[in-house]
Amino acid sequence: MLDQIHLLAAVTVLGVLEQAYFFLQVIYARRAYGISPPKTSGPPEFERVFRAQVNSSEYFPIFLAILWQAGLFFHQGLAAALGVLYLCARYCYFMGYKASSSERLIPIYISSGVLWVLVAASALGILRFFLSHYVGLNIL
Amino acid sequence: MLDQIHLLAAVTVLGVLEQAYFFLQVIYARRAYGISPPKTSGPPEFERVFRAQVNSSEYFPIFLAILWQAGLFFHQGLAAALGVLYLCARYCYFMGYKASSSERLIPIYISSGVLWVLVAASALGILRFFLSHYVGLNIL
Amino acid sequence: MLDQIHLLAAVTVLGVLEQAYFFLQVIYARRAYGISPPKTSGPPEFERVFRAQVNSSEYFPIFLAILWQAGLFFHQGLAAALGVLYLCARYCYFMGYKASSSERLIPIYISSGVLWVLVAASALGILRFFLSHYVGLNIL
């Protein structure tokens, strides 16, 4: 069973490490701008880092959910490759947003695009399984 | 293996699409009320849409976690049906909250109720497995 | 298959119950301090409870992702035991943060430490699988 998920598992652990990096960036920004918890507002430089982390955290379960469906029902290698691409785009998004609000835009479009490809792969893979399982129709 | 999870996978993809819809609603609300990131405060009309998305995002991993345990350990079809019901209640919650704070209440009670049924199904299914696996006691 | 994940499933359900408890605490705090949704700012006593819940929600998918990889690729029993430890540390974090900002620190260090052990176990387990699967090298 593990050989059907080991690439997905590796990308998942990479994703967790990236999230950990984003959390650390917020801690550093809190220290740099003197914003103690539970406060979350401050100068735009702090708020951009904070929002970049929050946005990445909100997308993380969505990313994992769709990565695994695409890997299980469509193709593990392709899903894992797209997953790595997504994590790279997220990193660029975080670094771009840290610099300025506008610099987050291109990476967020790329990361959203990758997610839509994963959604399409998942939907196609699940549809193929349904057709094969309930109708007996095998499409490639 | 996939026949034990294909309904859960389909509900998961539906849930991801719903989350994407909620994110788009926040983008539209940001444009409509002129609230540029990283700002998250503004008129109540904007803040309700924003909070509806944040709340749905916070519940999404909880929903997925319990959907899959209920489906794996209790009954896949029942879990998937409850999952679709949850997603419908979430949609009503979002649309209700967008209209007014009080209109979010009934759908949030329904969606919470569905989650508790999924928690109960998961707990029962896992308990049944523990009894069978460790004590050799088969219930039902 | 279920015997390889039943402990992870049990810890997952416990985690969901803990998240439900944290959500209820925010509802009680909203009533106690008269902070109606969509508002999220108020006296520090309210904001600490609110932030404790938000932080726990952000970490929840990370925790589940790494718990399952560690359980599947390293050792289910060890991962589940660390998972229970994490949930205990999160409870102490929440209660500490509710009391004062400084009382959240020791439990958050413990919970982060547990997560890093789970990350290390996952990475080692996945690496061992890769070596065995692609190179034919069996370690331990």
Side-chain angles (χ1 to χ4, degrees):
Chain A
M1 192 193 78
L2 294 186
D3 63 313
Q4 286 162 23
I5 60 166
H6 65 293
L7 298 174
L8 306 176
V11 175
T12 299
V13 173
L14 282 181
V16 167
L17 291 174
E18 187 174 73
Q19 289 298 114
Y21 177 77
F22 294 162
F23 277 109
L24 286 174
Q25 292 291 311
V26 173
I27 292 172
Y28 297 150
R30 282 191 176 279
R31 285 185 196 153
Y33 300 103
I35 317 281
S36 301
K39 278 185 69 183
T40 58
S41 52
E45 290 75 19
F46 168 75
E47 292 197 353
R48 288 203 308 271
V49 172
F50 178 72
R51 284 299 308 164
Q53 177 262 307
V54 170
N55 186 283
S56 301
S57 290
E58 284 181 341
Y59 271 94
F60 190 59
I62 293 170
F63 164 64
L64 288 186
I66 210 72
L67 169 77
W68 281 74
Q69 309 320 313
L72 288 170
F73 285 88
F74 193 80
H75 190 280
Q76 188 190 190
L78 181 73
L82 287 167
V84 171
L85 188 60
Y86 174 83
L87 295 178
C88 293
R90 268 286 146 184
Y91 180 81
C92 295
Y93 162 84
F94 195 95
M95 289 304 153
Y97 206 171
K98 195 178 174 180
S100 83
S101 283
S102 62
E103 284 183 48
R104 84 187 195 287
L105 289 174
I106 290 172
I108 199 81
Y109 294 149
I110 296 172
S111 73
S112 299
V114 174
L115 282 186
W116 282 114
V117 175
L118 284 168
V119 166
S122 304
L124 275 175
I126 294 170
L127 183 68
R128 186 177 57 181
F129 184 86
F130 269 75
L131 287 176
S132 153
H133 192 69
Y134 292 109
V135 192
L137 192 67
N138 284 298
I139 306 170
L140 206 98
Chain B
M1 193 192 77
L2 295 185
D3 64 312
Q4 286 162 24
I5 60 167
H6 65 292
L7 298 174
L8 306 176
V11 175
T12 299
V13 174
L14 282 180
V16 166
L17 291 175
E18 187 174 74
Q19 289 297 114
Y21 177 77
F22 294 163
F23 276 108
L24 286 174
Q25 292 291 310
V26 173
I27 292 172
Y28 297 150
R30 281 191 178 279
R31 285 185 195 153
Y33 299 103
I35 317 282
S36 302
K39 278 185 67 183
T40 58
S41 53
E45 290 76 19
F46 169 74
E47 292 197 354
R48 289 202 308 272
V49 172
F50 178 72
R51 285 299 306 164
Q53 177 261 307
V54 170
N55 186 283
S56 300
S57 290
E58 285 181 341
Y59 271 94
F60 190 59
I62 293 170
F63 163 64
L64 287 186
I66 210 71
L67 169 76
W68 281 74
Q69 310 319 314
L72 288 170
F73 285 88
F74 193 79
H75 190 281
Q76 189 190 188
L78 182 72
L82 287 167
V84 171
L85 188 60
Y86 174 82
L87 295 178
C88 292
R90 268 287 147 185
Y91 179 81
C92 295
Y93 161 83
F94 195 94
M95 289 304 153
Y97 207 171
K98 194 178 174 181
S100 82
S101 283
S102 62
E103 283 183 48
R104 83 186 195 288
L105 289 174
I106 291 173
I108 199 81
Y109 293 149
I110 295 172
S111 73
S112 299
V114 174
L115 282 186
W116 282 113
V117 175
L118 284 169
V119 167
S122 304
L124 276 174
I126 293 169
L127 183 68
R128 186 177 57 180
F129 185 87
F130 270 75
L131 287 176
S132 153
H133 192 70
Y134 292 109
V135 192
L137 191 67
N138 286 296
I139 305 171
L140 206 108
Chain C
M1 193 193 78
L2 293 185
D3 64 310
Q4 286 163 23
I5 60 167
H6 65 292
L7 298 174
L8 306 176
V11 175
T12 299
V13 173
L14 282 181
V16 166
L17 291 174
E18 187 174 73
Q19 289 297 114
Y21 177 76
F22 293 163
F23 277 108
L24 286 174
Q25 292 290 311
V26 173
I27 292 171
Y28 297 150
R30 281 191 178 280
R31 285 184 195 155
Y33 300 103
I35 317 282
S36 301
K39 279 185 68 184
T40 58
S41 53
E45 290 75 19
F46 168 75
E47 292 196 354
R48 288 202 308 271
V49 172
F50 178 72
R51 285 299 308 164
Q53 177 261 308
V54 170
N55 186 283
S56 300
S57 289
E58 284 181 341
Y59 272 93
F60 190 59
I62 293 169
F63 163 64
L64 288 186
I66 210 71
L67 168 76
W68 281 74
Q69 309 319 314
L72 287 170
F73 286 88
F74 193 80
H75 190 281
Q76 189 189 188
L78 181 73
L82 288 166
V84 171
L85 189 60
Y86 173 83
L87 294 178
C88 293
R90 268 286 147 185
Y91 180 83
C92 296
Y93 161 82
F94 194 95
M95 289 304 152
Y97 206 170
K98 195 179 174 179
S100 81
S101 284
S102 62
E103 283 182 50
R104 84 185 196 289
L105 290 174
I106 291 171
I108 199 82
Y109 294 150
I110 296 172
S111 73
S112 299
V114 174
L115 281 186
W116 283 113
V117 176
L118 284 169
V119 166
S122 303
L124 276 174
I126 294 169
L127 183 69
R128 186 177 57 180
F129 184 87
F130 270 75
L131 287 175
S132 154
H133 192 69
Y134 293 108
V135 192
L137 192 67
N138 286 297
I139 306 170
L140 208 109

